[in-house]
Amino acid sequence: MDLSAYDHNPYFYDEMFDSELTPRPHCQKIYQALQEFTVSDLAMMQSRVASSFHSEGITFTVYDEAKAGGKSDERIIPIDCIPRLLTASEWGTLEAGLTQRLRALNMFLQDIYNEARIIADGVMPIDIVRNCPQYRIAMRGVKVPRNTWVSICGTDVVRTNDGFFVLEDNLRVPSGVSYMLANRRVMKTNLRYLYRSYKVKEVENYGEILRQTLCELTDKSDPCIALLTPGVFNSAFYEHIFLANEIGAELVEGRDLIVNNGHVYMRTTQGLRQVDIIYRRIDDDFIDPIVFRPDSLLGVPGLMHAYKLGNVVLANAPGNGIADDKSVYAYVPDMIRYYLHAEPLLNNVQTYLCRRPDDLTYVLDNVANLVIKRVDASGGYDMLIGKHATVAERDAYITKLRATPHNYIAQPTLALSRSPCVVDGRVEPRHVDLRPFVLHGQHTRIVPGAFCRVALQRGSLVVNSSQGGGGKDFWVVDALT
């Protein structure tokens, strides 16, 4: 395939090519392979990948509120067949920075639900914590196993010409790891020779490491683990099935569990079986109708009582949402300095808190150059990308912003890095990010891989699958292979 017409723009960091359109040293082999592929070869490969995902039921659900009854569509995540490569040295930088970041976030959560020293010492204002909708009074003073509030973290990382930046932390019920593993399995098969020649770092042991991490949160030698799912209609239900199988956990819904005498039991055909660890994929609001939302049919009455007694482990711990609130995100570098007495190894994106009068004035004066987000939104929803919005869209968003400025943050429009993708028989650049998965029990572990998300629409900066994004395999390789 001829790559001479590749739309290279030095304004964006390209994951395969340098500013002179020369392949980066660690991308030489894949560049040569692409030149040898025909359009037909790539089309067949893409077709095999899609067929594999269809046959295995690797899907997610998109809900459309505009449709009658809020109907949903079942889709596969489009997978691009050209992997994104990172050197082992670059990965080492990310690994060290993500480990540092999760350590500080765990310390922050332990602190604010107990002594709240970071507030008393004036590092963070009290209202930004106590007024956050994700702050859970029910978790005040709760003893969390090994002070590990976050066992599974999915941190979104982007790259520009200025380096790597953390875009956000996902600390409640992070999703996407099944796609990392599924992408690897299918691309390892389709690019077998190239994969072997690169000696790509493996990720297939993620399930084993996740199980080990969860087991470290209890003193039992052979604990019973259950993965708590909202059920078949949840957008990530495929992942719940996948992960339960990977870690040898029972896949359960709230109706399958019962609390008796301060312990949690699972209904089985042989009777009740005690559950020691619950890997929950249900939001805080729904896990226990006695403590949180009384109308929840997804949770388990009395679960929080058993948890507070120390008779069951919940991973992740309830109340973590305060730490991935987009306003609190702005303070993570301060957390690192405060708790760890060190400088951040990975930078945040510059963030304007619209709750601050000066920041709000700046945002209102520069809407066209900023990305504005609700602090409690996710999935790419309720977000304004100023440079891509119409005047009417900006005006409507500004009206909401002025009404409740504390609900919004703003960031510069980043020049996200781009990576080659197969689009309509051609190789074209598309914007990408990374979601590595960081695990913490007694120790922090990160498999050398990530869910690499792709903004498939030309010029789009939105990589979320719910907004039309896709994925690709991500390889960590030696620098000179």
Side-chain angles (χ1 to χ4, degrees):
M1 173 166 282
D2 182 13
L3 298 181
S4 61
Y6 183 78
D7 181 23
H8 183 59
N9 183 346
Y11 177 73
F12 302 106
Y13 184 95
D14 193 285
E15 298 292 337
M16 184 175 290
F17 300 103
D18 64 19
S19 58
E20 303 299 323
L21 199 55
T22 301
R24 300 184 187 280
H26 64 287
C27 293
Q28 288 283 353
K29 287 182 182 178
I30 193 168
Y31 172 74
Q32 292 297 329
L34 284 174
Q35 288 191 308
E36 294 169 8
F37 285 140
T38 65
V39 172
S40 178
D41 292 334
L42 290 173
M44 288 179 61
M45 192 184 306
Q46 290 286 89
S47 178
R48 286 197 300 268
V49 170
S51 296
S52 174
F53 273 48
H54 270 298
S55 63
E56 294 185 38
I58 303 176
T59 62
F60 71 102
T61 305
V62 175
Y63 297 95
D64 190 346
E65 295 180 357
K67 292 183 178 180
K71 290 184 179 179
S72 61
D73 293 322
E74 197 80 9
R75 304 177 187 173
I76 66 165
I77 289 185
I79 301 301
D80 181 72
C81 64
I82 304 177
R84 174 183 174 182
L85 274 58
L86 216 67
T87 67
S89 174
E90 290 172 318
W91 176 254
T93 297
L94 287 182
E95 187 174 35
L98 293 170
T99 298
Q100 179 197 58
R101 193 174 181 93
L102 184 56
R103 184 183 173 198
L105 286 165
N106 267 312
M107 294 176 76
F108 167 70
L109 287 161
Q110 177 66 17
D111 183 23
I112 61 163
Y113 284 112
N114 291 277
E115 295 89 356
R117 292 180 294 111
I118 196 168
I119 294 173
D121 289 343
V123 177
M124 181 178 290
I126 187 171
D127 69 302
I128 211 167
V129 172
R130 299 292 166 81
N131 292 340
C132 176
Q134 301 301 325
Y135 181 80
R136 305 298 184 194
I137 294 175
M139 291 302 295
R140 290 284 298 275
V142 175
K143 183 173 175 55
V144 173
R146 304 194 187 283
N147 292 336
T148 298
W149 292 74
V150 185
S151 305
I152 305 106
C153 171
T155 296
D156 294 339
V157 179
V158 297
R159 173 148 64 176
T160 71
N161 280 315
D162 295 322
F164 291 108
F165 295 88
V166 171
L167 188 61
E168 66 180 26
D169 305 286
N170 298 282
L171 307 177
R172 284 171 271 182
V173 284
S175 62
V177 73
S178 61
Y179 301 113
M180 173 186 81
L181 298 172
N183 290 350
R184 174 58 55 85
R185 185 170 64 244
V186 70
M187 294 314 303
K188 188 175 181 178
T189 301
N190 281 275
L191 293 174
R192 188 177 295 110
Y193 172 76
L194 195 63
Y195 184 88
R196 286 201 302 262
S197 69
Y198 262 119
K199 299 179 182 177
V200 180
K201 310 299 181 187
E202 298 289 351
V203 299
E204 283 85 349
N205 63 339
Y206 175 85
E208 175 186 334
I209 294 174
L210 175 56
R211 181 180 177 87
Q212 181 182 358
T213 296
L214 294 173
C215 288
E216 288 176 355
L217 302 178
T218 179
D219 294 328
K220 295 199 174 182
S221 57
D222 187 23
C224 174
I225 304 176
L227 191 153
L228 179 59
T229 175
V232 66
F233 296 109
N234 184 263
S235 61
F237 185 66
Y238 158 75
E239 177 158 293
H240 303 166
I241 299 172
F242 183 96
L243 287 174
N245 183 62
E246 285 285 305
I247 65 177
E250 301 291 338
L251 184 67
V252 300
E253 296 181 34
R255 61 189 175 182
D256 300 319
L257 302 178
I258 186 172
V259 176
N260 186 24
N261 198 26
H263 292 80
V264 180
Y265 296 91
M266 172 177 56
R267 295 183 174 93
T268 74
T269 54
Q270 286 78 40
L272 296 179
R273 180 184 178 190
Q274 185 171 337
V275 176
D276 305 300
I277 303 170
I278 296 176
Y279 174 18
R280 66 181 183 99
R281 297 299 297 257
I282 293 180
D283 289 337
D284 289 357
D285 284 339
F286 301 98
I287 60 175
D288 185 340
I290 294 176
V291 176
F292 299 116
R293 282 184 54 160
D295 61 341
S296 172
L297 301 177
L298 302 176
V300 186
L303 179 57
M304 286 297 294
H305 174 63
Y307 177 60
K308 290 181 179 182
L309 290 175
N311 293 332
V312 69
V313 172
L314 292 178
N316 288 330
N320 284 356
I322 176 67
D324 65 14
D325 179 272
K326 290 178 174 61
S327 291
V328 173
Y329 159 91
Y331 289 91
V332 175
D334 294 327
M335 293 179 201
I336 292 171
R337 298 182 186 101
Y338 181 74
Y339 295 116
L340 304 180
H341 308 291
E343 286 299 310
L345 299 175
L346 286 175
N347 291 319
N348 269 18
V349 178
Q350 183 180 8
T351 301
Y352 301 95
L353 300 180
C354 296
R355 63 173 53 237
R356 298 171 177 163
D358 289 347
D359 284 10
L360 177 60
T361 299
Y362 178 84
V363 170
L364 293 173
D365 289 343
N366 294 274
V367 172
N369 301 315
L370 298 170
V371 177
I372 309 175
K373 308 173 184 178
R374 277 188 64 93
V375 297
D376 57 351
S378 61
Y381 292 103
D382 204 359
M383 176 175 72
L384 181 81
I385 301 178
K387 65 183 296 185
H388 293 163
T390 65
V391 173
E393 287 170 337
R394 291 179 200 163
D395 289 344
Y397 206 90
I398 287 171
T399 298
K400 296 191 297 182
L401 171 60
R402 287 185 185 277
T404 56
H406 61 281
N407 285 335
Y408 294 89
I409 60 101
Q411 296 169 329
T413 304
L414 297 177
L416 300 186
S417 68
R418 304 197 300 183
S419 190
C421 297
V422 178
V423 182
D424 298 329
R426 302 184 303 276
V427 176
E428 297 184 357
R430 290 293 186 268
H431 294 291
V432 292
D433 80 351
L434 280 180
R435 179 175 290 181
F437 294 90
V438 191
L439 304 177
H440 183 79
Q442 280 184 300
H443 310 284
T444 302
R445 304 175 180 90
I446 312 176
V447 297
F451 179 29
C452 178
R453 301 186 299 175
V454 185
L456 289 175
Q457 296 181 23
R458 179 176 294 173
S460 174
L461 297 171
V462 182
V463 299
N464 305 79
S465 55
S466 57
Q467 304 293 308
K472 60 165 66 215
D473 198 8
F474 169 67
W475 295 2
V476 177
V477 303
D478 291 331
L480 299 174
T481 54

